[in-house]
């Protein structure tokens, strides 16, 4: 890392992620009690997860243990996404890869990742509000200077969703991380990286809030 900064590593301070409550979605810190709901959500339609790591129901216990171990190491603040209308667990997300100042250990940058939604929750607007809640906490409570988001460079749907948050596309990191695409076990993927900076956050917040107003209005219109 550059002068004056350092990445988190095992033994780093715990990354505390509180409950984040929105109008449509509630983000709850991941715990063992969420296992059944996550297992059901992951099995709705696995054809939706071509480029995303979403464990099967059988693998969800190991997934949960791994995420909680990363949390204990100070690397991750994992969440489940709960649809407030139904009370169902519909996916997961996380703060992760915290970068801290060497002088005092304070956060200066964080990534939002490990995000997936059940098929029934995709396109519902829950992801928009979840990102809004996470961005707001990172910038306005933690005071970070930057939030990152990354996805498989081939995942056009995911890239479009990230761009709708107002994040800026910065480029493609080649051979950056493990591929989760079918048939690519052991291979590396190119990752498209996006970010929002602290200076940009006020305008991006306003844009997201306009989208949430539109979502509220759309939900208020009764179906035919």
């Amino acid at each position: 890392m550059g002068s004056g900064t350092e990445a988190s590593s095992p033994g780093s301070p715990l990354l505390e992620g509180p409950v984040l409550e929105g109008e449509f979605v509630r983000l709850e810190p991941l715990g063992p009690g969420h296992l059944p709901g996550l297992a059901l959500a992951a099995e709705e339609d696995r054809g939706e997860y071509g480029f995303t790591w979403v464990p099967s129901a059988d693998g969800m216990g190991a997934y949960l243990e791994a995420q909680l171990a990363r949390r204990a190491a100070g690397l991750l603040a994992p969440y489940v996404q709960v649809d407030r209308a139904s009370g169902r667990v519909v996916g997961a997300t996380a703060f992760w890869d915290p970068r801290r100042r060497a002088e005092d250990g304070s956060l200066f940058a964080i990534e939002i990742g490990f995000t997936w939604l059940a098929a029934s929750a995709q396109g519902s607007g829950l992801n928009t509000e979840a990102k809004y809640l996470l961005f707001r906490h990172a910038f306005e409570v933690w005071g970070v200077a930057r939030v990152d988001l990354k996805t498989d460079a081939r995942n056009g749907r995911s890239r479009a969703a990230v761009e709708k948050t107002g994040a800026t596309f910065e480029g493609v990191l080649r051979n950056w991380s493990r591929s989760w695409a079918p048939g690519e076990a052991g291979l590396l993927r190119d990752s498209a990286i996006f970010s929002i900076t602290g200076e940009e956050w006020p305008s991006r917040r306003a844009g997201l809030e306009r989208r949430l107003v539109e979502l509220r209005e759309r939900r208020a219109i009764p179906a035919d």
Side-chain angles (χ1 to χ4, degrees):
M1 299 293 292
S3 175
T5 64
E6 61 184 12
S8 292
S9 59
S12 294
L14 189 65
L15 190 63
E16 295 284 2
V19 172
L20 300 176
E21 188 93 19
E23 183 174 352
F24 311 113
V25 68
R26 181 172 63 254
L27 302 181
E28 298 179 359
L30 176 68
H34 293 121
L35 178 58
L38 285 171
L40 286 173
E43 292 298 326
E44 280 191 8
D45 182 356
R46 296 201 59 82
E48 296 291 325
Y49 306 134
F51 296 103
T52 304
W53 177 40
V54 181
S56 65
D58 290 343
M60 196 59 71
Y63 165 85
L64 191 146
E65 289 179 5
Q67 294 295 75
L68 293 180
R70 292 184 179 99
R71 178 182 182 274
L75 302 175
L76 187 76
Y79 283 98
V80 294
Q81 301 196 50
V82 178
D83 178 5
R84 290 194 61 196
S86 65
R88 293 188 307 117
V89 172
V90 293
T93 191
F95 287 119
W96 80 293
D97 191 21
R99 277 92 79 200
R100 299 182 181 274
R101 294 177 177 86
E103 302 83 19
D104 58 8
S106 62
L107 282 171
F108 71 89
I110 196 77
E111 183 167 338
I112 295 172
F114 290 96
T115 301
W116 60 270
L117 281 172
S120 62
Q122 295 177 23
S124 66
L126 295 187
N127 181 60
T128 298
E129 188 174 52
K131 289 294 193 296
Y132 170 76
L133 295 171
L134 293 166
F135 288 141
R136 188 177 66 181
H137 187 79
F139 286 117
E140 299 180 15
V141 178
W142 286 338
V144 301
R146 172 188 174 95
V147 174
D148 304 336
L149 305 99
K150 291 198 294 287
T151 188
D152 192 306
R154 300 166 294 179
N155 191 343
R157 181 174 181 176
S158 179
R159 290 177 65 160
V162 172
E163 287 173 349
K164 286 180 180 179
T165 69
T168 298
F169 173 60
E170 295 187 332
V172 173
L173 304 172
R174 297 178 298 168
N175 289 346
W176 184 253
S177 60
R178 175 180 175 180
S179 173
W180 299 104
E184 294 186 359
L187 300 182
L188 297 174
R189 76 176 197 189
D190 295 347
S191 293
I193 185 166
F194 300 79
S195 72
I196 295 177
T197 66
E199 294 81 5
E200 295 169 336
W201 170 237
S203 65
R204 303 305 191 265
R205 172 174 177 157
L208 284 166
E209 288 175 348
R210 286 193 295 271
R211 290 188 63 199
L212 291 173
V213 169
E214 293 169 0
L215 174 62
R216 186 180 306 116
E217 292 172 346
R218 190 167 72 243
R219 287 193 169 204
I221 298 173
D224 292 333

